[in-house]
Amino acid sequence: MAKAKIAVLGGDGIGPEITEQALRVLKAVADLCGHSFEIVRGLIGGAAFDQYGEHLPADTLKLCRTSDAVLLGAVGGPVEQRNLPRWKNCEVNSLLRLRKEFQFAINLRPLRIYPGLTRLSPLKMENLVSGVDILIVRELIGDIYFGEKYRRQENGVTAAYDLARYDKSQIQKVADFAFKAAETRNKRVISVDKANVLETSKLWRESVEELISDYSNIKLEHMFIDNCAMQLVKNPAKFDVLLTSNLFGDILSDLAAGIAGSLGLMPSASLNYNGFGLYEPAGGSAPDLAGKGIANPIGQILSIALMLRYSFGLEKEACIIEQAVEDALNTGVLTPDLAGNQQEAVTTEEFADRIIGIISDKDYRDGTD
Ligand code: NAD
Ligand code: IPM
Ligand code: MN
């Protein structure tokens, strides 16, 4: 029996709605398998600003520090309101600071296109998308995100700078994680860069190339980011592990989720090298959906599965959740982003109800042992 404390930071927009539904799923699995999780909620983002006047209060940091894992919903407000004090620099002050504070250098964004969902892909050609199973391994605390940023006047015009920085050890650590992950999969790694132009990318490619000599069983290919974006759309099944720097990974992961049909499908795990992890969907606060009870909770529910796997070593429990999501989708239980206009859609809560129903079903349980 596992016992653990989980810090839950619902955040903004759809964040609280989808985290609460995902926690119901966690409880169902915990009850089934005899585990006990202590859930402690904290504030982050605009929600924290209202109470503390800051986006990442010391209380929240302390809660994370004293927990075994962190579950996060989303931060940030409507894009058109980003200059209001509540939202100004919200993502940088909260999420990016949290990533840096806990050194979450590795970000895993897995994407499967389930057999029953191929018709939902905007690519529409089932032969292109069936069997897509990609693991994006994104470096998360370097690159243009965290380098020096400034503005200055140059000959009467305002110029802005964002410095991108990588060092060899930073690159090789995340590459090593990607190679090890590939060993448990199809043993193919595509490393993405822009080494025809960027100095950081040249170092990225050299560093990855140097490390591959330790992995004779892995097939490594380098691909420029522009070509990679095109190949992902044209032939997603070609990809197994996709190793990327921070900014390229941000863009490619939304692109990959779009191939599956919705940003709401993609979970993520942000891990440090001491085994501590933060789990959140790849998508954002979706202000267009907030408060309506219709957001897709799958990315958040699958993030719980990743937490069980990577933070608590509960592989069977992670698989129970993943299988339940697959079964629900295969039987046509779809939130509006997946159902489109053609089919009847369920709410966020009804989707979670269905997952909990599947998990609690005795016949289903017997089949998974
Ligand atoms: P977004 O990811 O919130 O939304 C993009 C599109 O995807 C929208 O059409 C939205 O409806 C849809 N979508 C996202 N999640 C969904 C879900 N669970 N179910 C169904 N549809 C979903 O990105 P955006 O609109 O560019 O940004 C909105 C806010 O979110 C901004 O403040 C941004 O900074 C923030 N953001 C936060 C995170 C995070 O907290 N990790 C990630 C991305 C964006
Ligand atoms: C993500 C988000 C964040 C990022 C933002 C909100 C800082 O888009 O997790 O993908 O760019 O990493
Ligand atoms: Mn993103």
Side-chain angles (χ1 to χ4, degrees):
M1 167 179 161
K3 263 183 117 146
K5 176 174 167 188
I6 302 171
V8 176
L9 315 179
D12 302 315
I14 61 168
E17 302 168 32
I18 55 177
T19 45
E20 290 310 315
Q21 295 310 318
L23 287 174
R24 292 179 58 221
V25 172
L26 175 66
K27 182 162 186 323
V29 178
D31 289 350
L32 182 67
C33 303
H35 305 305
S36 131
F37 296 108
E38 183 193 354
I39 305 300
V40 186
R41 291 173 179 77
L43 292 171
I44 192 166
F49 192 89
D50 294 341
Q51 194 165 317
Y52 292 86
E54 49 185 324
H55 294 117
L56 184 60
D59 285 351
T60 301
L61 271 174
K62 186 171 167 209
L63 169 64
C64 295
R65 254 185 230 116
T66 54
S67 297
D68 300 302
V70 181
L71 183 75
L72 191 136
V75 293
V79 177
E80 65 283 0
Q81 293 179 17
R82 52 186 322 99
N83 285 324
L84 295 181
R86 185 177 200 237
W87 301 123
K88 203 170 173 139
N89 294 325
C90 171
E91 298 83 343
V92 173
N93 295 342
S94 57
L95 187 56
L96 294 191
R97 201 172 141 222
L98 206 52
R99 288 175 182 172
K100 196 69 169 180
E101 180 75 26
F102 291 99
Q103 292 286 293
F104 292 128
I106 307 161
N107 184 226
L108 306 179
R109 297 191 165 187
L111 181 86
R112 279 187 62 203
I113 298 189
Y114 301 103
L117 278 196
T118 50
R119 84 205 129 75
L120 292 181
S121 170
L123 296 185
K124 292 291 175 256
M125 295 161 75
E126 294 212 359
N127 61 331
L128 269 188
V129 289
S130 77
V132 166
D133 183 348
I134 302 172
L135 178 66
I136 296 179
V137 180
R138 169 189 177 196
E139 197 291 326
L140 202 61
I141 53 171
D143 205 357
I144 197 164
Y145 274 70
F146 290 96
E148 201 186 341
K149 299 171 187 303
Y150 56 90
R151 288 187 187 203
R152 69 178 188 207
Q153 292 301 312
E154 293 175 356
N155 302 323
V157 292
T158 306
Y161 290 80
D162 292 283
L163 188 72
R165 179 192 179 279
Y166 268 120
D167 64 49
K168 186 166 149 184
S169 116
Q170 213 176 2
I171 298 165
Q172 289 191 331
K173 277 184 178 163
V174 69
D176 194 57
F177 193 99
F179 291 152
K180 290 202 165 72
E183 281 182 327
T184 68
R185 298 170 49 99
N186 287 329
K187 303 186 174 49
R188 287 182 289 118
V189 174
I190 291 180
S191 173
V192 185
D193 62 42
K194 186 74 185 170
N196 47 352
V197 177
L198 303 177
E199 203 54 40
T200 41
S201 278
K202 288 177 187 158
L203 182 65
W204 182 277
R205 193 175 279 219
E206 284 162 31
S207 308
V208 172
E209 195 62 49
E210 192 180 291
L211 194 72
I212 190 66
S213 53
D214 297 350
Y215 292 88
S216 54
N217 53 344
I218 301 292
K219 186 175 174 303
L220 170 69
E221 192 183 328
H222 301 280
M223 205 177 268
F224 294 138
I225 171 70
D226 45 355
N227 181 27
C228 180
M230 185 276 286
Q231 301 277 352
L232 260 175
V233 172
K234 203 167 167 214
N235 189 6
K238 170 189 167 82
F239 293 83
D240 177 17
V241 173
L242 193 55
L243 168 64
T244 104
S245 54
N246 202 348
L247 183 62
F248 296 160
D250 180 44
I251 298 164
L252 291 180
S253 55
D254 271 31
L255 189 153
I259 289 171
S262 171
L263 192 47
L265 289 167
M266 190 181 250
S268 96
S270 304
L271 308 173
N272 70 18
Y273 293 105
N274 301 320
F276 186 53
L278 176 148
Y279 301 84
E280 58 166 335
S285 58
D288 52 328
L289 307 179
K292 298 181 182 160
I294 54 169
N296 186 339
I298 293 179
Q300 192 83 58
I301 292 170
L302 292 177
S303 295
I304 294 250
L306 295 180
M307 174 187 288
L308 294 173
R309 174 173 295 127
Y310 290 106
S311 280
F312 306 135
L314 297 173
E315 180 62 27
K316 184 186 90 179
E317 290 77 352
C319 290
I320 288 175
I321 293 180
E322 287 164 350
Q323 189 61 50
V325 168
E326 178 166 352
D327 290 351
L329 292 174
N330 284 345
T331 53
V333 183
L334 305 173
T335 43
D337 54 318
L338 299 174
N341 300 325
Q342 311 300 320
Q343 283 166 277
E344 209 180 311
V346 298
T347 64
T348 312
E349 187 175 356
E350 285 165 349
F351 188 87
D353 288 346
R354 184 53 186 257
I355 298 292
I356 292 165
I358 292 173
I359 288 174
S360 313
D361 183 85
K362 185 178 177 313
D363 294 339
Y364 171 81
R365 259 172 16 229
D366 291 347
T368 59
D369 284 337

